[in-house]
Amino acid sequence: MPVVPKKMETNSFQGTNIKSSESDEKPSTSAPIAGNQVKHEKSEEDLAFDEPPFKKIKSTTSPEGKPVKNLGGNKVKEEFEMNWDIVQVLSERTNVEPWVCANLIRLFQEENTIPFIARYRKELINNLDADALREVQQTLEELRSVAKKTHTMIQKLKKEGKLSGCLFTALLNCRTFEELDHVSAPYKTGSKGTKAQRAKQLGLEPAALSLLQNPMEFNLFSYIRPNVKGLANIQEVEAGVQHILADIFAKDKDTLDFIRKLCQQRYICIQSALAKVSSKNGNEKDIDKFQLYHEFSCNIKNIQHHQILAINRGENLKILTVKVNIPDGVKNEFCWWCVNERWRPKQFLKPELMRILRNSVEDAYKRLIYPLLCREFRSKLTSDAEKESVMMFGRNLRQLLLTSPVRGRTLMGVDPGYKHGCKLAIISPTSQILHTDIVYLHSGQGFREAEKIKRLLQQFNCSTVVIGNGTACRETEAYFADLIMKKYFAPLDVVYCIVSEAGASIYSVSPEASKEMPDLDPNLRSAVSIARRVQDPLAELVKIEPKHIGVGMYQHDVSQTLLKATLDSVVEECVSFVGVDINICSEILLRHIAGLNANRARNIIEWREKNGPFINREQLKEVKGLGPKTFQQCAGFIRFNQEYIKTFCSSKKTQIGSQALLTKAGAQATSEKQGKKKSKPTPSSSQQPNPLDQTCIHPESYNICLIYFILFLFLITDFDKPDFKRSIVCFEDLSVGTVLTGKVENATPFGVFVDIGVGKAGLIPVRNITEAKLSKVKKRRSLGLGPGERVEVKVLNVDIPRLRITLDLIRVL
């Protein structure tokens, strides 16, 4: 790297001929987009939310506990060291205070889970919620991946003898994969080499450095070699020097920092247009899906996440062409700064040499820096859009998982169908399968089958019907609604509700379903799953892979690794938030508790089957594979039903078993006195129930609670229950002004879809969802509207030909 004069501050521009006013700039005309007219964004209210705000950096006077900043300082030792501070970069990218980032890095290094950190280490993270913790964790993993790949590249180049001091520094300065690829691309195996590398091989590097450092002694003619290609004449020598200088400029950290900062201050837009090939040969139906983006332009600071994902999908399908437009004013100001400040030679430069310098700067911008900026902008927009899409999926999934269960009812689950009939399953209040059957409601046998349904409902005293929302749902709903209105099931007062059956078919043929219901046909298993989704949504939905539940946006276009990791984390968070009764929960539910996995959950079940129910949390330490760290992570999320334990302990059989355990414990204690080591505590560890085991208080805080005699009660939020109905409204009956109640089906950045029972969900545009219309509980939870929420809405518009319904939110019920 040449020695250059000390650079000026990047925000100081000299000369009156440089226009820095954003209002004076126009989009670049150097690379026009296809089409004569470009449609610019005006208002996003009909399409998307406003730009998401930055996370508020919480003050040190947090009402939820005094923050503890000094967990070890803000310096964190990383496996792969770079030229940037990982804490500082993490703070900048996530807008979380540096001391919180430093604490989180250490907590993650110690293998603490997000539910454990969010609940039991609040003072170390300034009360960040689980979503914010996930974002920090994902960003941290990205930075570490960049650092790891950088060091792998350094070792590879060093082994090949290509690593110079300047290249080593440039690599360690990289913070993104785009920067790393930009610096390392010329040195990869199989690369033909860059123009700068070929010029260096011809021996022109000293000439390029001389132009910057000692131009008075610079003589291009001395490098001419008539018989050597690339040095045959003065023009070839100038071109070679220009290529070397352009490469130096394009890889200089200060130069790249300046152009990035300059772009942040200017109007940079992303544009899309209909591809010429697709307009001739493409599927008209697919092309129409992207009609909004046939002539589209928007500032990259204002474009919405779903728009980026839509543009990317259209580009991948070769329906759209996409480009980033950087104004000519950015190029002009950048070139002036490089020539007059950053790369200004130490001595006077002759006009012909100044021309080479200017051409080198322009070549660096056009050929190297501009493409890099475009890649960085597209990558950043796509990464942010994917993260928001995944986070939206996670928020919707959380809302579904935390739907309030309907306890104490016998339920009839109905999996609708036409030719193969409707599958029925009646389950008890404790989720036991009482009866399964198949009825054919839509093949001319409806009246005869009604007698069978009535007989089953009365036989099992069942007054609640749960209908899956798949094929034949509306016809089945109309069938039951008609019978209920005619009081056909009297004296039973029957009601019904609609529930999403997403993933039920996949689960019904899974190994878990076969193990749970081995003697049941897969078609009937789905009816059981539908009923259980109302009775205990959390316990049932965790059996299904989260991405199959179907409450996301563009989930097939985002990183599947990121999606799976986030959704699994949300499931773990929800199960831990609610807690599980260790003595009655299933193995599937147990494996989602923070700190546990499939093997540890299986070991807990085996211990329970062998030794009887757990009496207290301390007994968890006796389970194989549950060491101190695992116990720390899971203990606070495990509950104990004291009535169940009392019933068990009062039986004679249990008393005998307890005596045997005590005898065994005495023998083990004797062995320990004789010096024998034991890897696990004995099964005789305290057989007394602990009232605090019924709470979310962690065992590490029991002493504090006992000292002050404070028992904290676990707060379970009152989530909305299913919307039971006795009548149905047809699409044709809707009119403007009609007030209805419905259930939120899906939430997107541009609005919320509500099922109002007419076969087509209505849309509440985002502009109609105001804070004043949300209940106090929703405001406190900061969850907004999500799947399962019951709302009261008013019909604003009914477009019958297009089957579109526009709604206004009145209130959240």
Side-chain angles (χ1 to χ4, degrees):
M1 181 65 67
V3 179
V4 297
K6 184 177 180 180
K7 70 182 182 68
M8 303 289 288
E9 291 296 322
T10 56
N11 59 354
S12 62
F13 306 111
Q14 304 296 328
T16 58
N17 61 327
I18 301 299
K19 295 182 180 180
S20 60
S21 173
E22 187 172 323
S23 61
D24 294 336
E25 291 203 5
K26 297 180 180 179
S28 172
T29 57
S30 58
I33 193 170
N36 297 327
Q37 300 294 328
V38 177
K39 179 168 60 181
H40 288 268
E41 290 277 303
K42 292 183 179 179
S43 172
E44 296 295 333
E45 288 186 347
D46 293 330
L47 296 175
F49 286 110
D50 294 332
E51 187 72 9
F54 288 111
K55 291 191 298 296
K56 181 180 179 182
I57 297 182
K58 297 181 180 292
S59 65
T60 56
T61 56
S62 172
E64 300 181 17
K66 185 177 180 181
V68 178
K69 292 189 176 183
N70 189 16
L71 190 62
N74 286 356
K75 293 297 181 181
V76 177
K77 182 70 174 178
E78 285 291 310
E79 181 181 359
F80 301 103
E81 294 293 335
M82 302 290 286
N83 283 352
W84 36 267
D85 182 9
I86 193 169
V87 173
Q88 190 61 38
V89 176
L90 185 62
S91 176
E92 292 170 359
R93 293 193 181 181
T94 60
N95 200 28
V96 173
E97 290 178 320
W99 69 269
V100 176
C101 291
N103 287 348
L104 280 172
I105 291 175
R106 293 187 179 90
L107 288 169
F108 288 137
Q109 285 176 339
E110 295 169 1
E111 299 182 354
N112 291 290
T113 60
I114 285 179
F116 176 80
I117 295 172
R119 177 168 289 175
Y120 299 114
R121 295 295 182 264
K122 292 182 179 181
E123 71 283 358
L124 297 178
I125 61 170
N126 216 7
N127 300 294
L128 289 181
D129 60 21
D131 285 338
L133 295 180
R134 263 188 292 275
E135 181 181 353
V136 173
Q137 186 180 47
Q138 291 165 3
T139 306
L140 176 63
E141 290 173 356
E142 289 176 8
L143 292 174
R144 284 176 171 167
S145 297
V146 171
K148 182 178 180 180
K149 186 174 180 180
T150 298
H151 280 263
T152 301
M153 180 61 65
I154 289 174
Q155 294 300 320
K156 181 175 181 292
L157 295 176
K158 185 177 180 180
K159 184 177 180 180
E160 295 173 354
K162 300 178 181 179
L163 187 66
S164 64
C166 295
L167 178 58
F168 179 73
T169 302
L171 287 170
L172 291 181
N173 287 335
C174 295
R175 300 186 181 191
T176 65
F177 288 114
E178 289 72 32
E179 289 183 52
L180 180 59
D181 291 339
H182 173 70
V183 174
S184 62
Y187 305 94
K188 291 182 178 178
T189 304
S191 173
K192 295 180 180 179
T194 64
K195 293 180 178 180
Q197 284 180 313
R198 293 195 289 271
K200 289 178 181 179
Q201 291 171 358
L202 293 173
L204 292 177
E205 186 173 15
L209 299 179
S210 177
L211 187 147
L212 294 174
Q213 298 171 3
N214 194 12
M216 297 300 293
E217 300 180 3
F218 181 66
N219 183 7
L220 282 179
F221 291 95
S222 64
Y223 291 91
I224 295 177
R225 303 288 186 273
N227 299 326
V228 179
K229 185 178 180 181
L231 301 175
N233 52 53
I234 191 65
Q235 289 78 16
E236 291 185 355
V237 173
E238 285 186 5
V241 170
Q242 177 181 307
H243 294 153
I244 294 174
L245 290 175
D247 184 70
I248 292 174
F249 301 159
K251 293 178 180 176
D252 177 64
K253 180 180 182 298
D254 294 331
T255 302
L256 292 176
D257 288 346
F258 175 85
I259 188 64
R260 290 188 182 109
K261 185 173 182 180
L262 188 60
C263 287
Q264 290 177 0
Q265 302 168 357
R266 301 305 173 88
Y267 182 92
I268 312 296
C269 66
I270 184 170
Q271 298 176 342
S272 66
L274 181 64
K276 294 180 180 179
V277 176
S278 65
S279 62
K280 296 179 181 179
N281 307 323
N283 186 310
E284 185 176 346
K285 185 176 180 181
D286 290 338
I287 293 175
D288 287 343
K289 292 179 181 179
F290 299 92
Q291 185 175 4
L292 288 174
Y293 305 101
H294 287 182
E295 292 181 353
F296 177 85
S297 176
C298 184
N299 190 334
I300 61 173
K301 295 180 181 179
N302 300 330
I303 193 167
Q304 302 300 313
H305 298 304
H306 70 277
Q307 293 173 326
I308 286 293
L309 294 175
I311 288 174
N312 289 351
R313 179 182 288 184
E315 184 181 37
N316 292 334
L317 294 174
K318 302 189 184 313
I319 295 175
L320 301 176
T321 58
V322 185
K323 65 164 291 193
V324 175
N325 199 325
I326 301 176
D328 289 338
V330 172
K331 172 188 172 184
N332 296 335
E333 188 165 340
F334 169 75
C335 291
W336 184 93
W337 177 82
C338 286
V339 172
N340 294 278
E341 294 188 12
R342 180 68 181 95
W343 299 104
R344 184 174 183 175
K346 293 182 177 181
Q347 301 173 0
F348 173 77
L349 210 61
K350 297 177 182 179
E352 59 270 21
L353 300 184
M354 183 61 76
R355 175 179 54 80
I356 295 177
L357 180 62
R358 290 196 184 97
N359 290 342
S360 299
V361 171
E362 291 185 2
D363 179 49
Y365 177 83
K366 181 179 179 180
R367 185 167 55 88
L368 301 173
I369 296 177
Y370 177 82
L372 171 65
L373 293 174
C374 292
R375 290 195 301 270
E376 287 182 347
F377 287 136
R378 290 291 304 276
S379 177
K380 179 68 164 56
L381 290 171
T382 298
S383 176
D384 290 347
E386 286 189 354
K387 288 179 181 178
E388 177 58 29
S389 176
V390 170
M391 295 298 284
M392 176 67 74
F393 201 136
R395 289 192 290 269
N396 290 345
L397 176 63
R398 182 191 294 112
Q399 194 75 32
L400 276 182
L401 293 176
L402 296 181
T403 301
S404 181
V406 177
R407 305 288 192 189
R409 292 194 187 195
T410 300
L411 302 178
M412 173 184 281
V414 181
D415 184 8
Y418 291 116
K419 183 178 179 180
H420 299 290
C422 297
K423 278 68 69 177
L424 307 181
I426 299 179
I427 63 172
S428 71
T430 57
S431 294
Q432 300 299 314
I433 302 174
L434 302 178
H435 183 79
T436 58
D437 214 324
I438 300 178
V439 292
Y440 299 87
L441 307 182
H442 313 301
S443 58
Q445 306 179 40
F447 180 78
R448 186 178 65 186
E449 299 288 35
E451 285 294 327
K452 179 191 290 187
I453 295 173
K454 180 179 180 180
R455 184 173 65 255
L456 290 173
L457 292 176
Q458 291 179 346
Q459 177 182 349
F460 295 100
N461 194 26
C462 175
S463 60
T464 305
V465 178
V466 182
I467 304 172
N469 68 344
T471 304
C473 167
R474 295 305 166 187
E475 293 81 355
T476 305
E477 179 185 12
Y479 178 86
F480 276 94
D482 181 61
L483 294 177
I484 291 172
M485 290 181 65
K486 294 176 181 178
K487 301 187 181 301
Y488 182 80
F489 301 117
L492 291 177
D493 184 17
V494 177
V495 294
Y496 74 91
C497 71
I498 307 295
V499 67
S500 171
E501 64 176 43
S505 298
I506 296 176
Y507 167 70
S508 64
V509 294
S510 67
E512 289 82 2
S514 300
K515 182 179 179 181
E516 183 181 6
M517 298 172 277
D519 300 326
L520 212 57
D521 183 87
N523 293 319
L524 295 173
R525 292 173 188 164
S526 62
V528 175
S529 178
I530 288 171
R532 287 176 175 173
R533 289 184 184 202
V534 171
Q535 194 172 69
D536 194 345
L538 181 60
E540 190 62 27
L541 291 175
V542 296
K543 302 174 183 177
I544 302 168
E545 193 171 355
K547 68 179 182 181
H548 295 313
I549 297 179
V551 288
M553 175 188 69
Y554 294 100
Q555 61 259 36
H556 300 296
D557 295 340
V558 304
S559 166
Q560 296 303 300
T561 301
L562 175 63
L563 179 65
K564 185 178 187 307
T566 300
L567 298 185
D568 288 346
S569 178
V570 169
V571 173
E572 180 183 69
E573 172 201 339
C574 292
V575 175
S576 300
F577 169 79
V578 174
V580 299
D581 189 329
I582 189 69
N583 290 319
I584 62 174
C585 69
S586 66
E587 180 183 324
I588 295 177
L589 188 62
L590 194 59
R591 69 176 62 159
H592 291 290
I593 284 291
L596 300 183
N597 54 30
N599 289 333
R600 292 166 184 163
R602 190 182 309 112
N603 291 342
I604 290 175
I605 298 299
E606 290 176 355
W607 192 99
R608 189 175 72 190
E609 292 174 350
K610 180 180 179 180
N611 300 284
F614 288 85
I615 306 300
N616 53 45
R617 284 172 174 164
E618 282 297 312
Q619 286 184 303
L620 288 169
K621 297 178 179 179
E622 301 172 9
V623 178
K624 179 182 177 181
L626 264 70
K629 191 64 183 182
T630 302
F631 177 80
Q632 180 197 44
Q633 298 299 307
C634 73
F637 306 112
I638 289 177
R639 307 283 182 271
F640 296 80
N641 186 313
Q642 299 298 322
E643 293 299 322
Y644 179 84
I645 293 174
K646 288 179 181 178
T647 302
F648 180 86
C649 291
S650 63
S651 66
K652 183 177 181 180
K653 181 179 179 180
T654 305
Q655 291 174 357
I656 297 174
S658 298
Q659 185 62 39
L661 288 176
L662 289 172
T663 303
K664 185 178 179 181
Q668 290 180 340
T670 303
S671 298
E672 289 179 355
K673 289 180 180 179
Q674 295 174 354
K676 292 184 179 180
K677 293 184 178 180
K678 295 295 178 180
S679 60
K680 285 289 179 183
T682 67
S684 66
S685 59
S686 179
Q687 293 291 321
Q688 296 299 319
N690 190 328
L692 293 177
D693 288 344
Q694 300 182 76
T695 72
C696 61
I697 300 172
H698 198 279
E700 65 187 12
S701 301
Y702 280 5
N703 289 338
I704 299 175
C705 296
L706 293 175
I707 290 173
Y708 294 98
F709 301 101
I710 299 176
L711 297 177
F712 293 95
L713 298 179
F714 181 56
L715 176 63
I716 302 180
T717 308
D718 186 18
F719 286 89
D720 300 319
K721 295 183 178 180
D723 187 17
F724 294 108
K725 301 183 286 186
R726 292 185 174 84
S727 62
I728 186 172
V729 180
C730 298
F731 188 92
E732 292 75 12
D733 293 339
L734 291 177
S735 59
V736 176
T738 302
V739 176
L740 302 165
T741 60
K743 182 182 293 184
V744 174
E745 194 174 75
N746 197 4
T748 69
F750 52 84
V752 170
F753 290 94
V754 179
D755 183 358
I756 54 176
V758 296
K760 186 71 176 179
L763 173 67
I764 306 178
V766 64
R767 65 175 181 273
N768 294 342
I769 305 174
T770 61
E771 187 176 356
K773 296 178 181 178
L774 299 177
S775 67
K776 293 181 179 179
V777 174
K778 309 300 178 189
K779 295 176 187 176
R780 184 179 70 247
R781 279 196 264 129
S782 300
L783 291 177
L785 288 177
E789 303 272 9
R790 293 182 63 242
V791 294
E792 186 175 23
V793 296
K794 181 171 71 174
V795 179
L796 296 180
N797 182 51
V798 181
D799 188 344
I800 295 180
R802 296 185 179 182
L803 295 178
R804 294 181 179 175
I805 311 167
T806 305
L807 306 172
D808 182 27
L809 175 65
I810 298 177
R811 64 192 178 99
V812 180
L813 301 175

